[in-house]
Amino acid sequence: MNCRREFGQVVLRISESLGCTLWRGSGCTRSFSGGLTTNQLVTGALQTRLDTRDQTYHPSSNSGSLYTQVRWASKKQGGSTQNNKDSNPKFLGVKLFGGEHCIPGNIIVRQRGKRFHPGVNVGMGKDHTLFSLVEGCVSFTKDRKKNRTYVNVK
């Protein structure tokens, strides 16, 4: 069997013992060799049979193909990347240091968790942000017994 491709058309020649068949892309001619159509010989994807009573072309429901169809990728697949995600900065840390003047509502410390605890005149937000409740001066004190650092405003 000799098979070649030209501009989207497939030409198939079968030996003299099986008969000679010319197959063009849209299926202009159909002849049989051993009970198989040229469509079955070329692709194996569409199962066909010829009803000998009325000489009409019918798709067949049985899948007894000689060849399996393999679809090759037409474009190269792009690989997936890992560790390429980045988050926006959170700008955590101490905003007003000891001895600095603050007014009510000033953020003193932005933090995750309770690294610094609220002391006198200092409130804590739901994200553990410490802020001033009154006008005054910021001070940090350390409680050695509980191993905590408190932020106060006086």
Side-chain angles (χ1 to χ4, degrees):
M1 183 162 35
N2 186 6
C3 197
R4 73 174 193 261
R5 280 194 162 273
E6 290 182 23
F7 304 109
Q9 295 179 349
V10 176
V11 178
L12 175 68
R13 293 195 190 329
I14 301 176
S15 68
E16 294 297 328
S17 63
L18 296 176
C20 184
T21 302
L22 177 64
W23 173 264
R24 292 194 177 109
S26 63
C28 297
T29 61
R30 298 178 195 97
S31 66
F32 285 80
S33 56
L36 295 175
T37 63
T38 54
N39 199 5
Q40 288 173 328
L41 290 173
V42 173
T43 62
L46 177 63
Q47 300 297 314
T48 59
R49 64 182 170 85
L50 182 65
D51 190 356
T52 56
R53 290 188 304 271
D54 55 359
Q55 297 294 319
T56 56
Y57 176 73
H58 299 287
S60 176
S61 60
N62 56 0
S63 60
S65 174
L66 287 179
Y67 302 100
T68 58
Q69 182 180 11
V70 178
R71 183 181 182 277
W72 299 97
S74 57
K75 294 194 178 204
K76 185 177 178 183
Q77 183 70 8
S80 63
T81 59
Q82 294 178 349
N83 299 328
N84 62 343
K85 296 175 186 167
D86 195 11
S87 60
N88 294 329
K90 302 303 176 200
F91 302 107
L92 302 176
V94 178
K95 306 300 178 186
L96 293 176
F97 294 93
E100 291 191 53
H101 180 74
C102 67
I103 59 174
N106 275 9
I107 294 175
I108 302 169
V109 178
R110 292 192 54 111
Q111 60 186 350
R112 295 288 176 259
K114 294 180 183 175
R115 182 173 177 186
F116 298 98
H117 293 266
V120 179
N121 297 323
V122 174
M124 184 181 333
K126 65 179 183 178
D127 62 346
H128 301 111
T129 297
L130 301 182
F131 57 91
S132 174
L133 296 174
V134 295
E135 186 174 351
C137 189
V138 178
S139 66
F140 291 85
T141 58
K142 184 91 171 167
D143 185 1
R144 303 279 180 203
K145 208 182 276 188
K146 294 183 179 179
N147 197 17
R148 288 184 176 182
T149 303
Y150 290 97
V151 180
N152 306 305
V153 174
K154 295 181 184 175

